[in-house]
Each structure stands twice: as structure tokens, then as C-alpha cells.
Amino acid sequence: MKRFLSLVLIASVASAAACRDAGKTTSEFEEKGRPEKILTIGMSQCNLGEPWRVQMNQDIRTEADLHPEIRVIFKDAQNDSLRQRSHIEEYVSAGVDAIIVSPKEAAPLTPPIAAAYERGIPVIVLDRRVLGDRYTCFIGADNKSIGRAAGEWIVGRLGGKGRVVELKGLMTSTPGQDRHTGFREGIRGSEIEIVFEADMKWLEPDARKEMESALARFDRIDLVYAHNDPGARGAYLAARAANREKSMIFVGIDALPYEGQAYVRQGILEASFEYPTGGKEAVLAVLDILKGRSVDKEIVLPSRVFTTKNIDAGGEWITSEGDTLEQDR
Amino acid sequence: MTIHLRSSAVRALIALIFVLALGALFNAEGAFFKWDTHRDMLRHISVFGILACGLTLVIITAGIDLSVGSLLGFTAVLFALLSLRLELSAWLAVPACLAAGALCGCVSGGLIAKFRIQPFIATLAMMVFARGMAKSISGGQKITTAILRPDGTYHYADVPGVFAFLNSKILGQNIAVVTLIFLLCILVCWIILSRLRWGRYIYAVGGNEEAARLSGVPVAATKILAYGLSGFFCAVAGLCQAAQELQGDPETGISYELTAIAIVVIGGTNLMGGRGGIGLTFIGAMTIGYLEKILSINAVGEAGRLMLTGAIIVGAVLFQKYRK
């Protein structure tokens, strides 16, 4: 009798538990397979003229495809701040659930981003900053510390002395300025001599032209540091045309998978320093926010260096970057 | 007209000699006196010079072609796509690109001649449209020899022979192939303008369109021909650009139209049409080329370069006017 009772008890408890479990499973199934509401994210890219920004959109798309509950709308501001401002306003009136924006300029885009933020829409600012703190989260890498890491790597590679050509990006742009000052900090104290520097405006044909001039002037050049990978490749093509590519080393920045990383793999560049896009991190931050989790106000992306030695192992993280970053600000 | 041409040529030459004198003065520790410097200058200016060839024909008809930089970009991407991705033989890829360029030029010409859209507007539209086509066929990314395999790794295709040939130097490494192509384009334009009936038509249309029409010149056909040839030369430049970059970059050639226009104007071809010549454009190309080279070997900063280039363009054009 006792035994029978206990059996009944166990059975009823088990079935109750089973019922609860069953209920839970169906509701969970509904959430995953057939989301009640698809969340819409509006993404505004300042221009799609640069391969790096095409890659950023691609990174966002790749990550978003892994999450069926979100949908991303992409807009391209074609390098026009006011057009980008309209994008933000359009997203707000369309009632999107979150906005990702990679702003062209700080001043014109601060008010619309602040307005969206104050309406309660989470705004993730990618790569370039806006003024003040009326946004949800900023994600970006630090050009200055990447430039410094490149400088330190070059000092190590050349054994502390050598003749270097610096091919600069547009020096009116902050990435150009930061990659320059960071680099100069990185080589400070060494016997590295910058024999030639020129602004190649991020463009490969211009880099080739400037490098031809450097080659005409100097019989010995040990290394070329270019502010982006196409610039370094342009310099390589100039040196190769003069049969001098084997007597010098080429270093670039950005390390896009099909650009800088491919050049390293081909042996055109000896090293390329990654400037991460943050596309994936932006989508993950949006998901966290929409699920009610808190995210840091500022996320600084770590960076990797890809060299001919470590490219097959997936590059190497640049260390101590975070510490130096904090000291800078 | 011959007297005018001769005197224009003399004035254009004086501007060139002035720039060369600057080079001799600021020779960057003797770098200006090395042949390599001159060979590299000729290589660099060739693409701009080829664009300026087509632009000269258009400007003589009193038109303008703003689409040359974009058409260069479009044909460069198309060439890379056909040769690097589809692995077509050069014998197919090169004519296909030249035809595509000429067709785009003819479309601009048709809009101008048949629909009476102003050249500035029609070619502005083509400039935007062609850039869009370049981005569309490339998917917004550079077409390179790195080909993505399904497993995520890259395979590096060999550079096709035609790329290597166009990017090489011949005659004992003393002259770039693209420079010879530029000289060939100059020769073709010279034959068109001074030896063919169509050349006379081009001058006639630019000089006085109404008078030309009344004298039986096929005005519409002449204009379509001029813009079509301009598109053709853009494609030639596009092939050279892709070969030199060893890739098809949808962003290449942005603002090249401005340098090409500067070359034509510094040479002394009149923007009002009817006057000028291809020899002047050649001198203009040398002037701009040497100017850029001298600024580059002396590592002059970007700000200084822009101001000096602007000042020298104004100076050269004023000089042309003053002596007239």
C-alpha cells in the first residue's frame, strides 16, 4: 500500500513536471523558430567608397545572419554628412529597434544621434566619434596605438636603425594624423631615419608615384611604412618595377582579409597591422542591449598584426595596447 | 589657323621650359637629372594623357567630357573581371573593354547630339552612372588575382600576360609600355584631326555649329564620333590603369577628369571650341607631368602642391592670353 502510494506520488510529480517542461519547450520553440517580433536595426554607413567600410557592412551582415530575430537595413551616405543625418531621422520615424551608425563627421551628426538616443532608441556609434555622451555605446579601434605598435615592430625588425620611407594617408584626416604620430612615438629613441615622407592620400597609384620619387633620390631604403595596405602595395609595385623590391621591407595597416592579409600571404608585405571594423561587435552589442543586458559605454577593439611568419596561424594580438590607451586619454 | 597653332605651341612650350627650369633648379640632389625620373614621370602621366587625347577632340567640338575618370574606372574593373575572374583571353577581353568604353561615349554623344542635353549635364550623368556600373559589376570590391576558394582560403592566380606586358618597360627598361600607348594615342588623334575629313568636321562643329550645319557637315554624327572616341580612349586608359595596379579597383580614376582637363587647357586648346590641337595636349601633359614630378621628388607637402599647381595653371593660361 505504502509502495503504491509512493508510486502514485512519484508519477504525479513527474507528470506535473513533464507538463511544465512541455509548456516551457513549446514557448521556447516559438521564440527561436518563429520569433514573435523581428527586431529591425538601421545601419548608416558614411560611405562605401573604401573597401574597409564595405568590409564593415559585410561583418555586420555575416553576424546578423546568425541571429534570425534581427533584420538589418543598410544605408550609404555617400560621404555626405547631411544625407547621413537624414538616415538617422528616417530610422527614428520608421521606429527601428536600434541604430548602428559609422558617422562621417562628429559635429553635424551629434544632434540627430542625440535625438534618437533621447527617444529611447539604442545607438551604437562605430569607428568615428560624436561629441558629448548622448549615445549608447561607442565601438572603435585606436589608430594611434596601432601606429605606435607598427613603429615598435619596425624598430625591432630593423634592429634599431635604418632608412625608412613613410607614405602617409590623407594628413587632413584623423586616421592619417594618428597613424603618423603613433608611428613617430613608436620609433622614438631609435636610430631610424625617415628619409622621405609624402602624402599618398590613401591611394595606390599616388603611392606608386611617390615611391618612384623616393627610389630616384635614395640608393638605399630599408623599409617602407605606409598608412594603409594599398599604399604599401603601390610602393612595392614601384620598387619591383625598379628591381629593388627585394632590398626593402614593406609594412602596411588595415589587414583586410582579401587585401592586406592577402598581400602578406603573397609576400608583398612583410607585415600588416589590423584595423578592425567592429561590425560583429556592434551587432553583438545591439543584441545585448535589446535583451536588457548592459554594455560598456566605450569598447576599444583589440588589433592583430599579420606577418609572413604568423599569417597561417591567424596573426598575433598586439599586447599592452589597452594600458597605453588609458594613459593617453 | 596654322599660324595660330604655331604660336600657341610656342607659348605652351615656354610654359613647359619654365617648369623644366624649376626642375633643374630644385633637382632634389640630382634626382631630376636621372633618366629614371623622366621615365617614371612619362609612365605616371600616360594614363592622364590618354584621357586628355579624347578630351581634346571633345573640347574642340566646344563640348566637355566629365565622365573620363569614371569610364576609366569602369573599364579597368571590366578588364580585371574579364581577364582575372572569367579568365578570357586578352584577344577577347581587350576589344570587349574598348567597345564598352566607346559605347558609353557614344551614349553621352547621342544624348548631346540627338536630345540636345548640354555636354556638361550629359557627361556628368555618365560620370555618376559609370561609377555606379564599376561598383555594381565588382560588388564594391577590388577585383584582384586573389580568388576565394569555397573553403575560405585564397588561391593566387597568375597575372595574365597582357597585364604583365602593359605594366612592363621595354627598350632596355628605358620606356614604359603605357607611355608608348600614350604616344600612339597622340598619333591617332593627330591623324584624325589633321588628315581625315572627320577632323575638319570636328573643328567646324566647334567653330560655328550653325555654319557647319549649313555647309552640310553631319553635326550630330560628328559629336557622337567625338564622344565615342573619348570613351574609347578612356577604355585604353582603363586597360593601362588596371594593368599597372594589377587589379580592377572600382574607386580608381576619381577626379582624373580634372587633371585631364588641366592638361588640355595648359596646352592651349580653347574651351570655347574650334581651336587647338593634339600637339598642344602633348605639351600640356609634359608640363603637368613634370610639375607633379618635381613637387614629388622634392617631397613638397600636399597643401603646397595644391596651391602651386593651381597657381601654375592660372599662370600658364594667363600667359597664353597675354601674348595673344
Side-chain angles (χ1 to χ4, degrees), chain B:
Chain B
M1 196 159 70
T2 8
I3 294 161
H4 168 79
L5 271 186
R6 198 172 293 152
S7 59
S8 287
V10 167
R11 285 196 289 261
L13 271 175
I14 291 173
L16 174 59
I17 290 165
F18 173 69
V19 169
L20 286 173
L22 280 180
L25 195 60
F26 302 101
N27 56 38
E29 296 139 30
F32 187 74
F33 302 120
K34 292 183 190 166
W35 169 245
D36 286 9
T37 304
H38 301 263
R39 178 196 67 198
D40 294 341
M41 183 286 291
L42 288 168
R43 180 201 67 74
H44 174 71
I45 205 66
S46 291
V47 160
F48 297 96
I50 295 168
L51 295 181
C53 283
L55 205 50
T56 305
L57 303 179
V58 166
I59 288 178
I60 293 175
T61 69
I64 190 79
D65 190 348
L66 299 178
S67 68
V68 294
S70 290
L71 281 181
L72 174 146
F74 167 61
T75 47
V77 169
L78 184 66
F79 185 46
L81 200 65
L82 294 178
S83 342
L84 302 178
R85 284 288 177 279
L86 304 179
E87 295 177 4
L88 283 189
S89 109
W91 300 108
L92 284 172
V94 170
C97 291
L98 295 178
L103 184 70
C104 291
C106 287
V107 169
S108 301
L111 290 172
I112 291 157
K114 297 285 183 191
F115 294 90
R116 304 205 162 260
I117 300 178
Q118 293 205 336
F120 189 92
I121 307 293
T123 58
L124 181 71
M126 180 54 78
M127 167 176 137
V128 179
F129 188 80
R131 187 61 66 191
M133 284 197 292
K135 292 189 184 197
S136 159
I137 61 172
S138 62
Q141 300 200 336
K142 293 175 186 173
I143 311 278
T144 63
T145 50
I147 294 160
L148 187 63
R149 287 207 193 96
D151 60 355
T153 58
Y154 284 90
H155 157 70
Y156 299 102
D158 286 332
V159 179
V162 60
F163 276 63
F165 169 69
L166 290 175
N167 192 27
S168 64
K169 298 187 291 275
I170 54 170
L171 302 177
Q173 300 277 307
N174 277 325
I175 193 119
V177 170
V178 290
T179 305
L180 293 180
I181 294 175
F182 169 44
L183 295 176
L184 196 66
C185 290
I186 291 280
L187 182 69
V188 168
C189 285
W190 181 79
I191 291 172
I192 292 171
L193 285 176
S194 20
R195 288 284 172 269
L196 298 184
R197 190 194 304 156
W198 287 100
R200 301 206 164 276
Y201 289 168
I202 285 173
Y203 279 106
V205 167
N208 186 335
E209 191 175 326
E210 202 45 44
R213 194 189 314 279
L214 293 173
S215 341
V217 171
V219 172
T222 305
K223 285 187 175 177
I224 294 174
L225 176 81
Y227 287 91
L229 282 170
S230 176
F232 175 85
F233 286 119
C234 293
V236 174
L239 300 182
C240 296
Q241 185 81 353
Q244 291 185 80
E245 293 192 26
L246 300 173
Q247 66 188 13
D249 180 357
E251 297 296 321
T252 202
I254 286 181
S255 82
Y256 280 25
E257 58 278 353
L258 299 179
T259 307
I261 292 171
I263 285 174
V264 178
V265 170
I266 278 206
T269 293
N270 194 324
L271 276 179
M272 306 300 284
R275 284 183 297 177
I278 200 66
L280 299 178
T281 296
F282 179 73
I283 300 172
M286 292 303 103
T287 310
I288 294 273
Y290 274 114
L291 181 61
E292 285 196 9
K293 193 75 210 172
I294 292 158
L295 294 171
S296 173
I297 52 174
N298 285 293
V300 176
E302 184 61 18
R305 284 188 199 196
L306 294 172
M307 291 190 296
L308 269 169
T309 309
I312 290 197
I313 290 175
V314 169
V317 172
L318 274 182
F319 179 64
Q320 297 255 0
K321 256 196 145 89
Y322 178 71
R323 292 280 302 266
K324 219 170 264 178

Side-chain angles (χ1 to χ4, degrees), chain A residues 76-139:
Chain A
D76 170 14
Q78 294 163 11
N79 237 345
D80 181 339
S81 290
L82 294 183
R83 186 176 284 145
Q84 193 161 28
R85 181 182 187 136
S86 326
H87 287 173
I88 313 284
E89 288 158 358
E90 286 156 21
Y91 285 142
V92 171
S93 52
V96 297
D97 297 287
I99 295 172
I100 301 174
V101 52
S102 191
K104 171 169 158 54
E105 294 161 299
L109 288 157
T110 299
I113 287 175
Y117 175 69
E118 270 152 22
R119 294 262 309 248
I121 302 173
V123 186
I124 313 288
V125 180
L126 258 179
D127 181 44
R128 292 185 192 161
R129 289 168 188 281
V130 288
L131 309 173
D133 61 351
R134 288 182 298 166
Y135 55 85
T136 315
C137 170
F138 169 81
I139 301 177

